[in-house]
Amino acid sequence: MNEKVLETLEYGKIKEQLAKYLTTDRGREIVHNLRPSSSFEAVNQRLEQTSDGADIVRLKGEIPIPKLTEISPYMKRLRIENASLSGTELSHITKLLRVVQVVTEFFHDLEDEEVHLKSVPAIINRLTLMPEVTKRMVASVDDDGRILDGASSELRSIRRTIVATQSNIRSKMGKFIKGSDAKYLSEPIITVRDGRFVLPIKSEYKQRFGGIIHDQSASGQTLYVEPSNVVEMNNQLRRDQLAERAEVRRILGELTDLIRPHRDELLANMDLVGQLDFVNAKAKFVHATGSVLPKVSKENIINLRKARHPLIPKDKVVANDIEIGDKYNTIIVTGPNTGGKTITIKTVGLLQLMGQSGLFITANEDSQIGVFDNVFADIGDEQSIEANLSTFSSHMDNIITILKQISSKSLVLLDELGAGTDPKEGAALAMAIIDAFHKVGCELIATTHYPELKAFAYNRPGIINASMEFDVDTLRPTYRFLLGIPGQSNALNIASKLGMSKDIIDQTRSFTDTENQDINNMIEELTTQTKRAHDEADELGGQLKDATKLHNELQDKFTKYENQKDRLTEQAKEKANQVVEEAKKKADQIIDDLHKKQAQIGKVAVKENELIDAKGALNKLETAPNLTKNKVLKKEKAKHDFHPGDDVLVKSYGQQGTLLRKDKNHTWDVQIGILKMQIEESDLEKSKPAKQDKSQYQAHVSRTHSAGMSPTLDLRGHRYEEAMTEVDRYIDSALLAGYPSVTIIHGKGTGALRKGVTEYLKRNPRVKSFGYSAPNAGGDGSTVVKLK
């Protein structure tokens, strides 16, 4: 691939963007040397690697590769027999060894998760694991190049001695700082000079401490003195430090000799990790730019769908469909300046270079590229003052060079072909040049101003016109590429829109020959029709995309439903059987309890609230089916439109009652016979008053009821004496009214009223039995009294 086209199409800026995502020096070297390939197999392999990387980024974030420094200079030094590497150099090698281990484990995990990759595993399989060397290096060198204590037992022992000695020196010198001698110090600190611990002493007291003077301040007011009582300890510390330095040198030599035999494996690993870093960078670039994997055509058929220039922000660039290489291999793009012609051909060339480099392209799915042996471009004004070349001469020089190098498998991009000379000669020359390229069989996209080339392209097989759309109403280009339509002359329309008089416009038209006017009218009509077709295609494409997405979602859900239907049915049957079994057990338990109570009826009276509770428990075993939106549901809703005074059925008890008033939290006060209870609204249902079966009262004596007598006495808020009088009067009235039972509400409070009522009921011979109300009807806050 010629270097000039890489510069012309700004290929280097794409590599700069890639470099932002790299973490290794070798990865940067790979990108620096990156060039498009002309091998079909190599291009496909590169694209497969990028596809693998994109899948890894999508699933796992990225391949775990930290910053790595190039190690090849260190490997060259290892060829010298006695050469020894520094701690920093060894730390870089250690980091590489650790990365190889981590990356290998990372891809083993991907295999376990059945993530299928095409090309990257081949790189992983070439990595050389050195577990013993890695273990030794990791235990000996940290990331900063410091030799760790674990490098040898001797080094660990020496460093322990150094720490102990330093601690003793500080302890001994600390007495000077905290004691009476502190006033002779410039500062109460212990510092170091020439590797020895010293004290900052005021110069006038230098004789007070004795010892050795190691330094003085710039002003001379402070002397840094090593007290005589720590001189020997400092000497010992120095000996230990020298021993440590010697041991570190020995370990560095030992570690160097350890990796020396593995120079080739380390260099190979460095290169492979750099390739993985490059794969990471390409995948991140895909994510950042919204690029897609292109198809690769052996026949060099380019079919770019909604292609956009990768260096222009996505929200500002206009995407275009561009095809070449199938029905035609030459496109002539006509139209005015600043209409987007140059950017369009640059987009085609740059995306082609990116694809042949193994990069995804900024276009829509199903886009296709070729594999050209070379891409040539003559774009822009390359006038050279030094070479005394005009713009025209410069373009001709480039075109002549290109003609000498092209083949039938080349792609050529020419901007403003024939410009810079006499229009008639320039147009004729442009047609001759296009014919020359066309005969070779290469693919050519050329832009021009000359109207003569519109008819030329129309009459030549394999050559097609194209243009950039221009909005006459706004007098601005739309940057939309129109294939098959030559550029329209808009000079008269623009002049008219800007306010030029009609007379001048008409006179101008009269000067223009009829053939040109007919051509312009034809182009205008074609442009309008094509624009309408594009707009309708875009709209239909959007609708098709939405419909396809919906269809796929529905298909997925239907497939899941089909797969789960039998399993869910079996689960439902199992669950239903469990519910039935549990219901049977509970029902049997309730019935047994009722039988026991009935057997004891001669001995102990069964309380009415106990019977109601038992019947309610049985009713609760029934599970109501879910109702769909139908007439039955409407009737059910009407049954739950409650108002005070309505007759209702309490479903859980199976009893009729009357609504008294609505409380908070969707509950109602309901009168059930002689009982007043609080019931959840969901447990109520509107109904007609139940007709009582006379047979169930045959064993009872009929009594006359008082219409003004309430079956409930509320004593809350009454004084004790007043309440007892009220109870006595109420029981007499209830007996006269013929009530079989009544309820006395005394509340819980301190319990005084409850105790007084209980004692009164025990003494009254007309009371058959009494007991507290059911828990959901007040509990021990009220008492149900049965009368004789």
Side-chain angles (χ1 to χ4, degrees):
M1 196 67 63
N2 71 93
E3 293 293 323
K4 188 173 183 180
V5 75
L6 303 181
E7 181 181 350
T8 301
L9 296 180
E10 300 179 290
Y11 180 75
K13 290 186 178 180
I14 298 297
K15 296 203 295 184
E16 288 175 7
Q17 291 192 9
L18 273 177
K20 296 177 183 177
Y21 304 110
L22 296 167
T23 58
T24 68
D25 290 344
R26 183 59 62 89
R28 293 184 185 90
E29 183 181 347
I30 292 173
V31 169
H32 177 74
N33 296 327
L34 180 65
R35 295 292 184 277
S37 172
S38 57
S39 165
F40 182 83
E41 291 74 18
V43 169
N44 271 311
Q45 184 184 29
R46 290 180 176 187
L47 289 172
E48 282 181 353
Q49 287 183 0
T50 308
S51 182
D52 284 352
D55 289 342
I56 293 169
V57 167
R58 177 172 53 85
L59 296 172
K60 293 294 184 180
E62 62 180 288
I63 304 170
I65 301 175
K67 292 183 178 180
L68 287 179
T69 303
E70 180 58 54
I71 65 166
S72 54
Y74 315 151
M75 298 300 103
K76 289 180 181 178
R77 287 177 51 204
L78 287 180
R79 295 174 185 171
I80 304 173
E81 185 175 349
N82 295 322
S84 180
L85 299 180
S86 68
T88 302
E89 292 167 339
L90 289 171
S91 71
H92 294 159
I93 296 172
T94 303
K95 190 177 289 186
L96 171 63
L97 290 167
R98 193 161 50 231
V99 167
V100 170
Q101 194 174 52
V102 170
V103 168
T104 303
E105 291 172 358
F106 175 82
F107 279 92
H108 284 165
D109 292 341
L110 286 180
E111 286 182 10
D112 294 340
E113 295 174 18
E114 297 185 352
V115 177
H116 301 292
L117 303 174
K118 298 176 183 177
S119 187
V120 169
I123 300 176
I124 302 303
N125 293 335
R126 289 160 55 198
L127 288 170
T128 303
L129 282 172
M130 294 176 271
E132 295 301 324
V133 175
T134 303
K135 183 178 180 181
R136 174 79 168 101
M137 296 295 290
V138 169
S140 302
V141 187
D142 69 4
D143 290 341
D144 296 328
R146 180 176 178 271
I147 301 301
L148 299 172
D149 293 352
S152 75
S153 57
E154 178 65 20
L155 182 62
R156 181 184 290 108
S157 175
I158 293 172
R159 285 181 174 171
R160 285 178 178 174
T161 303
I162 289 173
V163 170
T165 304
Q166 288 176 337
S167 178
N168 291 335
I169 293 173
R170 288 183 178 279
S171 176
K172 205 157 194 176
M173 295 180 72
K175 296 177 182 178
F176 293 106
I177 295 173
K178 299 176 182 178
S180 58
D181 291 329
K183 60 186 176 182
Y184 304 115
L185 304 178
S186 297
E187 289 182 272
I189 60 171
I190 300 171
T191 185
V192 177
R193 288 293 186 274
D194 298 330
R196 302 177 77 86
F197 287 92
V198 295
L199 294 171
I201 299 173
K202 296 176 183 178
S203 58
E204 58 268 29
Y205 301 113
K206 60 182 178 181
Q207 302 299 332
R208 173 118 191 138
F209 293 88
I212 303 170
I213 299 174
H214 287 276
D215 199 0
Q216 68 177 7
S217 64
S219 64
Q221 299 298 314
T222 301
L223 300 176
Y224 294 95
V225 177
E226 177 185 4
S228 55
N229 61 348
V230 298
V231 170
E232 182 52 35
M233 296 175 70
N234 268 325
N235 290 339
Q236 181 60 47
L237 177 62
R238 185 61 176 167
R239 287 192 291 270
D240 293 338
Q241 290 171 339
L242 291 173
E244 178 193 21
R245 189 179 301 174
E247 179 63 13
V248 167
R249 279 198 300 269
R250 187 194 68 78
I251 293 170
L252 289 174
E254 184 180 284
L255 296 177
T256 300
D257 291 338
L258 176 67
I259 63 173
R260 198 186 302 275
H262 304 287
R263 294 194 305 272
D264 294 337
E265 292 95 329
L266 289 169
L267 283 172
N269 281 350
M270 189 77 227
D271 185 63
L272 294 170
V273 170
Q275 292 180 39
L276 294 174
D277 186 28
F278 177 46
V279 170
N280 255 353
K282 290 191 292 182
K284 291 178 183 178
F285 180 76
V286 168
H287 179 73
T289 58
S291 305
V292 300
L293 172 66
K295 297 177 181 177
V296 184
S297 168
K298 283 187 175 181
E299 294 77 23
N300 285 349
I301 297 173
I302 297 177
N303 183 7
L304 301 178
R305 297 164 54 85
K306 297 300 179 187
R308 61 186 188 276
H309 198 285
L311 299 177
I312 300 176
K314 193 174 181 179
D315 58 339
K316 295 180 180 180
V317 69
V318 176
N320 284 302
D321 295 338
I322 304 167
E323 299 177 40
I324 189 173
D326 186 10
K327 298 177 181 178
Y328 42 84
N329 61 359
T330 299
I331 300 176
I332 299 177
V333 187
T334 52
N337 284 330
T338 70
K341 300 192 303 294
T342 304
I343 285 295
T344 300
I345 63 173
K346 277 189 171 184
T347 300
V348 175
L350 186 53
L351 294 189
Q352 186 61 50
L353 295 178
M354 289 170 61
Q356 289 186 224
S357 301
L359 305 178
F360 283 14
I361 63 173
T362 49
N364 281 6
E365 297 286 347
D366 296 325
S367 291
Q368 182 173 273
I369 62 170
V371 180
F372 297 96
D373 60 3
N374 223 322
V375 178
F376 298 95
D378 177 52
I379 298 174
D381 185 359
E382 299 185 5
Q383 186 174 180
S384 172
I385 297 176
E386 293 180 2
N388 195 25
L389 293 176
S390 66
T391 300
F392 176 76
S393 300
S394 176
H395 284 305
M396 288 302 104
D397 187 56
N398 289 338
I399 292 171
I400 292 168
T401 303
I402 293 171
L403 282 168
K404 291 177 180 178
Q405 299 180 33
I406 60 169
S407 72
S408 60
K409 295 183 178 180
S410 299
L411 172 64
V412 182
L413 308 170
L414 303 179
D415 190 30
E416 298 298 346
L417 181 60
T421 187
D422 177 78
K424 288 188 177 181
E425 289 186 356
L429 182 60
M431 288 187 280
I433 291 172
I434 291 172
D435 255 346
F437 281 110
H438 194 57
K439 288 177 182 176
V440 174
C442 67
E443 294 181 20
L444 168 68
I445 304 178
T447 72
T448 181
H449 275 105
Y450 297 130
E452 291 86 349
L453 268 67
K454 301 174 187 177
F456 173 79
Y458 185 77
N459 294 323
R460 292 289 193 282
I463 303 178
I464 191 169
N465 274 308
S467 61
M468 305 305 296
E469 186 181 59
F470 187 87
D471 192 332
V472 180
D473 294 328
T474 61
L475 303 181
R476 295 176 65 87
T478 65
Y479 306 107
R480 195 169 182 176
F481 183 73
L482 302 177
L483 188 64
I485 300 177
Q488 180 183 354
S489 176
N490 295 301
L492 294 182
N493 291 330
I494 293 172
S496 179
K497 289 284 183 182
L498 293 175
M500 184 69 72
S501 69
K502 187 176 182 300
D503 292 339
I504 296 176
I505 298 297
D506 291 340
Q507 187 175 6
T508 304
R509 293 188 192 280
S510 69
F511 291 152
T512 308
D513 58 44
T514 305
E515 185 179 351
N516 283 339
Q517 291 183 27
D518 291 341
I519 290 175
N520 279 331
N521 291 336
M522 179 190 69
I523 292 172
E524 184 176 0
E525 185 177 351
L526 281 172
T527 303
T528 303
Q529 292 176 357
T530 304
K531 185 177 186 302
R532 188 186 308 120
H534 277 304
D535 292 340
E536 291 175 356
D538 289 344
E539 183 179 356
L540 290 173
Q543 293 175 1
L544 177 61
K545 183 179 180 181
D546 293 340
T548 303
K549 181 180 178 182
L550 179 60
H551 175 269
N552 292 337
E553 290 177 355
L554 291 174
Q555 186 64 46
D556 290 342
K557 289 180 181 178
F558 180 75
T559 303
K560 290 178 182 177
Y561 164 74
E562 286 293 326
N563 294 336
Q564 296 180 3
K565 183 174 65 175
D566 294 339
R567 180 173 56 83
L568 292 175
T569 301
E570 289 302 317
Q571 289 179 352
K573 288 180 180 178
E574 292 176 4
K575 191 171 182 180
N577 290 337
Q578 291 176 2
V579 171
V580 170
E581 188 65 29
E582 292 176 3
K584 285 181 179 179
K585 290 180 181 179
K586 291 181 180 178
D588 291 343
Q589 183 179 353
I590 294 169
I591 291 170
D592 288 344
D593 189 45
L594 287 173
H595 285 164
K596 289 178 183 177
K597 290 180 178 179
Q598 192 156 3
Q600 298 174 358
I601 198 165
K603 302 176 182 179
V604 181
V606 179
K607 297 180 182 179
E608 184 177 353
N609 64 299
E610 292 179 346
L611 292 173
I612 293 174
D613 287 344
K615 188 171 184 180
L618 280 171
N619 289 334
K620 284 182 179 178
L621 296 180
E622 179 183 358
T623 302
N626 291 326
L627 297 175
T628 57
K629 294 183 178 179
N630 52 27
K631 294 180 180 179
V632 177
L633 180 59
K634 292 179 180 178
K635 290 181 181 179
E636 288 299 317
K637 287 184 177 179
K639 290 180 181 180
H640 293 82
D641 184 19
F642 300 122
H643 302 281
D646 288 348
D647 293 316
V648 294
L649 171 68
V650 182
K651 293 185 285 186
S652 60
Y653 293 104
Q655 298 291 315
Q656 297 285 341
T658 303
L659 297 180
L660 300 178
R661 65 185 182 88
K662 187 174 183 179
D663 293 331
K664 297 179 179 179
N665 300 326
H666 302 287
T667 60
W668 284 82
D669 287 343
V670 184
Q671 188 71 46
I672 306 175
I674 63 171
L675 299 178
K676 180 181 176 184
M677 305 174 68
Q678 274 195 341
I679 306 295
E680 290 285 341
E681 190 172 88
S682 59
D683 196 23
L684 299 175
E685 182 181 294
K686 262 190 180 181
S687 67
K688 295 179 180 179
K691 294 182 180 179
Q692 295 180 342
D693 186 358
K694 293 182 180 179
S695 63
Q696 62 181 315
Y697 297 107
Q698 290 177 358
H700 298 284
V701 178
S702 177
R703 291 179 177 154
T704 302
H705 288 254
S706 172
M709 177 71 184
S710 171
T712 303
L713 173 63
D714 192 349
L715 299 176
R716 289 175 295 183
H718 289 63
R719 294 177 180 273
Y720 181 85
E721 292 79 12
E722 180 185 353
M724 293 302 101
T725 304
E726 190 71 17
V727 170
D728 185 60
R729 189 184 300 119
Y730 179 78
I731 294 297
D732 290 340
S733 299
L735 289 167
L736 292 173
Y739 284 147
S741 64
V742 294
T743 301
I744 300 174
I745 302 174
H746 41 67
K748 298 180 181 180
T750 61
L753 278 180
R754 178 174 55 196
K755 185 177 179 181
V757 169
T758 300
E759 289 176 355
Y760 169 82
L761 294 175
K762 286 180 180 179
R763 296 194 306 268
N764 194 325
R766 301 301 302 276
V767 173
K768 184 177 180 181
S769 64
F770 62 91
Y772 295 133
S773 298
N776 61 348
D780 59 358
S782 62
T783 301
V784 179
V785 183
K786 292 192 176 182
L787 303 174
K788 292 181 180 179

